[in-house]
Amino acid sequence: YVGGIARQHDLTALQVGGIEDHLHALVMARPVIKPCEIPLWLKAESSKWMHVKFPALSQFAWQDGYGIFSVSQSSVPAVINYIENQRVHHTNQTFEEEYLTLLKLHAVDYDERYLFG
């Protein structure tokens, strides 16, 4: 279904994958698309799809927050590989540990009160 979202919003989904508590989506977007719009579209459209396709999951909802990072074209193969193998990766490092590492590595200011609910 991500392909339908991508066509509707002029995005190209390169790789999408998730585990129980989060997902990663590597998408390519035209420069005129605001990065903050991408997770909003993905969440809204996938929630609609979930509610229609799986009525028993009518309580499904995404968390309020999201993280969005840009990557260079040369990093795309490594990011695709990471997404394909994230379940294995998370046996060594939790999502929370990984996310904090990324924030610190890229010198992103954050307030811990708002990170993980």
Side-chain angles (χ1 to χ4, degrees):
Y1 185 73
V2 170
I5 296 168
R7 280 190 301 279
Q8 179 181 353
H9 297 290
D10 204 17
L11 306 174
T12 301
L14 301 177
Q15 187 69 38
V16 178
I19 61 175
E20 290 78 8
D21 62 353
H22 72 281
L23 70 81
H24 295 277
L26 178 62
V27 300
M28 203 168 2
R30 293 181 308 122
V32 297
I33 296 175
K34 297 174 192 151
C36 64
E37 292 176 339
I38 296 168
L40 299 177
W41 291 335
L42 291 173
K43 288 179 174 188
E45 297 296 328
S46 62
S47 290
K48 286 183 215 172
W49 179 80
M50 287 285 290
H51 295 144
V52 169
K53 188 78 172 169
F54 303 100
L57 299 176
S58 63
Q59 298 301 310
F60 173 81
W62 291 104
Q63 68 182 31
D64 290 334
Y66 61 86
I68 188 165
F69 298 88
S70 61
V71 298
S72 66
Q73 186 66 34
S74 63
S75 297
V76 166
V79 174
I80 288 172
N81 182 60
Y82 171 80
I83 293 171
E84 289 174 338
N85 295 293
Q86 67 177 296
R87 183 169 300 282
V88 172
H89 175 77
H90 286 302
T91 61
N92 300 317
Q93 185 179 40
T94 67
F95 164 71
E96 290 83 359
E97 292 167 338
E98 175 189 47
Y99 195 67
L100 284 171
T101 299
L102 280 171
L103 294 175
K104 291 173 184 174
L105 177 68
H106 298 286
V108 175
D109 289 330
Y110 62 90
D111 185 331
E112 288 192 30
R113 295 176 296 171
Y114 304 109
L115 280 182
F116 305 114

